[in-house]
Short mmCIF file of all heavy atoms in Angstrom, two decimals:
data_model
loop_
_atom_site.label_atom_id
_atom_site.label_comp_id
_atom_site.label_asym_id
_atom_site.label_seq_id
_atom_site.Cartn_x
_atom_site.Cartn_y
_atom_site.Cartn_z
N PHE H 43 -3.79 -5.72 -6.92
CA PHE H 43 -4.63 -4.53 -7.21
C PHE H 43 -5.91 -4.92 -7.90
O PHE H 43 -6.99 -4.48 -7.51
CB PHE H 43 -3.86 -3.52 -8.04
CG PHE H 43 -4.70 -2.45 -8.60
CD1 PHE H 43 -5.20 -1.42 -7.78
CD2 PHE H 43 -5.01 -2.40 -9.96
CE1 PHE H 43 -6.01 -0.45 -8.34
CE2 PHE H 43 -5.81 -1.40 -10.51
CZ PHE H 43 -6.32 -0.41 -9.64
N ASP H 44 -5.82 -5.81 -8.91
CA ASP H 44 -7.04 -6.23 -9.62
C ASP H 44 -8.02 -6.89 -8.66
O ASP H 44 -9.23 -6.62 -8.73
CB ASP H 44 -6.66 -7.22 -10.75
CG ASP H 44 -6.00 -6.51 -11.93
OD1 ASP H 44 -6.09 -5.28 -12.04
OD2 ASP H 44 -5.33 -7.22 -12.71
N ARG H 45 -7.54 -7.74 -7.78
CA ARG H 45 -8.44 -8.43 -6.84
C ARG H 45 -9.04 -7.44 -5.83
O ARG H 45 -10.21 -7.54 -5.49
CB ARG H 45 -7.69 -9.54 -6.11
CG ARG H 45 -7.37 -10.72 -6.99
CD ARG H 45 -8.59 -11.56 -7.37
NE ARG H 45 -9.38 -11.99 -6.26
CZ ARG H 45 -9.15 -13.06 -5.53
NH1 ARG H 45 -8.17 -13.89 -5.83
NH2 ARG H 45 -9.96 -13.37 -4.51
N MET H 46 -8.23 -6.48 -5.37
CA MET H 46 -8.73 -5.54 -4.38
C MET H 46 -9.79 -4.62 -5.01
O MET H 46 -10.83 -4.35 -4.43
CB MET H 46 -7.59 -4.65 -3.82
CG MET H 46 -6.57 -5.40 -2.97
SD MET H 46 -7.27 -6.05 -1.45
CE MET H 46 -6.92 -7.80 -1.66
N LYS H 47 -9.54 -4.13 -6.25
CA LYS H 47 -10.56 -3.27 -6.88
C LYS H 47 -11.77 -4.02 -7.25
O LYS H 47 -12.90 -3.48 -7.15
CB LYS H 47 -9.94 -2.52 -8.08
CG LYS H 47 -9.74 -3.30 -9.32
CD LYS H 47 -9.21 -2.41 -10.44
CE LYS H 47 -8.77 -3.16 -11.64
NZ LYS H 47 -9.84 -3.67 -12.49
N ASP H 48 -11.66 -5.30 -7.63
CA ASP H 48 -12.87 -6.09 -7.92
C ASP H 48 -13.73 -6.30 -6.71
O ASP H 48 -14.93 -6.30 -6.75
CB ASP H 48 -12.46 -7.47 -8.51
CG ASP H 48 -11.91 -7.38 -9.92
OD1 ASP H 48 -12.00 -6.32 -10.54
OD2 ASP H 48 -11.34 -8.39 -10.37
N HIS H 49 -13.06 -6.43 -5.53
CA HIS H 49 -13.81 -6.69 -4.29
C HIS H 49 -14.29 -5.41 -3.62
O HIS H 49 -15.46 -5.28 -3.23
CB HIS H 49 -12.96 -7.49 -3.31
CG HIS H 49 -13.73 -7.90 -2.08
ND1 HIS H 49 -14.54 -8.98 -2.07
CD2 HIS H 49 -13.84 -7.31 -0.88
CE1 HIS H 49 -15.09 -9.09 -0.87
NE2 HIS H 49 -14.71 -8.08 -0.13
N PHE H 50 -13.41 -4.43 -3.48
CA PHE H 50 -13.73 -3.23 -2.73
C PHE H 50 -14.19 -2.04 -3.61
O PHE H 50 -14.67 -1.05 -3.10
CB PHE H 50 -12.49 -2.76 -1.90
CG PHE H 50 -12.17 -3.71 -0.81
CD1 PHE H 50 -11.01 -4.47 -0.90
CD2 PHE H 50 -12.94 -3.87 0.29
CE1 PHE H 50 -10.64 -5.40 0.08
CE2 PHE H 50 -12.63 -4.79 1.29
CZ PHE H 50 -11.46 -5.53 1.18
N GLY H 51 -14.02 -2.18 -4.93
CA GLY H 51 -14.41 -1.11 -5.81
C GLY H 51 -13.20 -0.25 -6.23
O GLY H 51 -12.36 0.09 -5.40
N ARG H 52 -13.19 0.12 -7.45
CA ARG H 52 -12.06 0.89 -8.01
C ARG H 52 -11.84 2.21 -7.24
O ARG H 52 -10.72 2.64 -7.02
CB ARG H 52 -12.26 1.20 -9.51
CG ARG H 52 -11.24 2.11 -10.13
CD ARG H 52 -9.87 1.47 -10.07
NE ARG H 52 -8.81 2.43 -10.42
CZ ARG H 52 -8.00 3.01 -9.54
NH1 ARG H 52 -8.15 2.79 -8.26
NH2 ARG H 52 -7.08 3.86 -9.94
N ASP H 53 -12.91 2.84 -6.82
CA ASP H 53 -12.83 4.11 -6.16
C ASP H 53 -12.19 4.00 -4.77
O ASP H 53 -11.84 5.02 -4.16
CB ASP H 53 -14.21 4.74 -5.99
CG ASP H 53 -14.85 5.08 -7.33
OD1 ASP H 53 -14.12 5.13 -8.34
OD2 ASP H 53 -16.05 5.30 -7.36
N ASN H 54 -12.06 2.80 -4.24
CA ASN H 54 -11.54 2.59 -2.89
C ASN H 54 -10.11 2.04 -2.84
O ASN H 54 -9.65 1.73 -1.75
CB ASN H 54 -12.49 1.64 -2.12
CG ASN H 54 -13.85 2.27 -1.89
OD1 ASN H 54 -13.95 3.44 -1.55
ND2 ASN H 54 -14.88 1.51 -2.16
N VAL H 55 -9.48 1.90 -4.00
CA VAL H 55 -8.10 1.36 -4.04
C VAL H 55 -7.21 2.30 -4.79
O VAL H 55 -7.47 2.61 -5.96
CB VAL H 55 -8.10 -0.05 -4.68
CG1 VAL H 55 -6.71 -0.63 -4.63
CG2 VAL H 55 -9.11 -0.98 -4.03
N PHE H 56 -6.14 2.76 -4.12
CA PHE H 56 -5.20 3.67 -4.75
C PHE H 56 -3.90 2.92 -5.01
O PHE H 56 -3.34 2.27 -4.14
CB PHE H 56 -4.89 4.86 -3.84
CG PHE H 56 -3.92 5.86 -4.44
CD1 PHE H 56 -4.39 6.92 -5.18
CD2 PHE H 56 -2.58 5.70 -4.29
CE1 PHE H 56 -3.52 7.79 -5.81
CE2 PHE H 56 -1.68 6.58 -4.90
CZ PHE H 56 -2.15 7.63 -5.63
N ILE H 57 -3.44 3.06 -6.25
CA ILE H 57 -2.13 2.56 -6.67
C ILE H 57 -1.55 3.61 -7.58
O ILE H 57 -2.25 4.20 -8.38
CB ILE H 57 -2.20 1.15 -7.32
CG1 ILE H 57 -0.83 0.54 -7.49
CG2 ILE H 57 -2.97 1.23 -8.63
CD1 ILE H 57 -0.83 -0.94 -7.88
N ASP H 58 -0.27 3.86 -7.44
CA ASP H 58 0.36 5.02 -8.11
C ASP H 58 0.17 4.98 -9.63
O ASP H 58 -0.12 5.98 -10.24
CB ASP H 58 1.84 5.13 -7.76
CG ASP H 58 2.69 3.95 -8.25
OD1 ASP H 58 2.11 2.92 -8.62
OD2 ASP H 58 3.89 4.13 -8.35
N ILE H 59 0.32 3.86 -10.26
CA ILE H 59 0.33 3.78 -11.67
C ILE H 59 -1.04 4.17 -12.31
O ILE H 59 -1.09 4.73 -13.36
CB ILE H 59 0.78 2.36 -12.20
CG1 ILE H 59 1.24 2.40 -13.62
CG2 ILE H 59 -0.30 1.34 -11.98
CD1 ILE H 59 2.67 2.78 -13.75
N ASP H 60 -2.12 3.88 -11.60
CA ASP H 60 -3.45 4.25 -12.07
C ASP H 60 -4.03 5.49 -11.38
O ASP H 60 -4.97 6.09 -11.85
CB ASP H 60 -4.43 3.06 -11.79
CG ASP H 60 -4.50 2.12 -12.95
OD1 ASP H 60 -3.87 2.42 -14.00
OD2 ASP H 60 -5.17 1.09 -12.87
N GLY H 61 -3.49 5.79 -10.20
CA GLY H 61 -4.16 6.83 -9.37
C GLY H 61 -3.64 8.24 -9.49
O GLY H 61 -4.22 9.15 -8.92
N ILE H 62 -2.56 8.44 -10.23
CA ILE H 62 -1.99 9.81 -10.33
C ILE H 62 -2.25 10.33 -11.73
O ILE H 62 -1.68 9.83 -12.70
CB ILE H 62 -0.49 9.81 -10.02
CG1 ILE H 62 -0.23 9.22 -8.60
CG2 ILE H 62 0.05 11.24 -10.09
CD1 ILE H 62 1.23 9.07 -8.26
N PRO H 63 -3.08 11.37 -11.86
CA PRO H 63 -3.33 11.95 -13.17
C PRO H 63 -2.07 12.56 -13.79
O PRO H 63 -1.17 13.02 -13.06
CB PRO H 63 -4.38 13.03 -12.92
CG PRO H 63 -4.93 12.72 -11.57
CD PRO H 63 -3.86 12.01 -10.80
N PHE H 64 -1.95 12.55 -15.06
CA PHE H 64 -0.84 13.17 -15.79
C PHE H 64 -0.77 14.68 -15.43
O PHE H 64 -1.77 15.32 -15.29
CB PHE H 64 -0.97 13.04 -17.30
CG PHE H 64 -0.90 11.59 -17.73
CD1 PHE H 64 -1.95 10.99 -18.41
CD2 PHE H 64 0.24 10.83 -17.51
CE1 PHE H 64 -1.89 9.69 -18.84
CE2 PHE H 64 0.33 9.50 -17.94
CZ PHE H 64 -0.75 8.94 -18.59
N GLY H 65 0.45 15.20 -15.24
CA GLY H 65 0.67 16.60 -15.04
C GLY H 65 0.48 17.06 -13.59
O GLY H 65 0.72 18.24 -13.29
N VAL H 66 0.11 16.15 -12.72
CA VAL H 66 -0.10 16.50 -11.31
C VAL H 66 1.18 16.28 -10.51
O VAL H 66 1.95 15.38 -10.80
CB VAL H 66 -1.25 15.59 -10.74
CG1 VAL H 66 -1.37 15.75 -9.23
CG2 VAL H 66 -2.55 15.95 -11.41
N ASP H 67 1.45 17.11 -9.52
CA ASP H 67 2.61 16.94 -8.65
C ASP H 67 2.39 15.67 -7.86
O ASP H 67 1.56 15.60 -6.95
CB ASP H 67 2.74 18.16 -7.69
CG ASP H 67 3.98 18.06 -6.81
OD1 ASP H 67 4.48 16.94 -6.53
OD2 ASP H 67 4.40 19.12 -6.35
#
Side-chain angles (χ1 to χ4, degrees):
F43 168 71
D44 288 341
R45 289 291 305 276
M46 294 295 122
K47 75 177 171 77
D48 289 349
H49 186 83
F50 294 110
R52 173 65 192 102
D53 297 343
N54 294 316
V55 184
F56 181 91
I57 191 168
D58 66 342
I59 200 84
D60 270 355
I62 304 175
F64 296 119
V66 171
D67 182 336

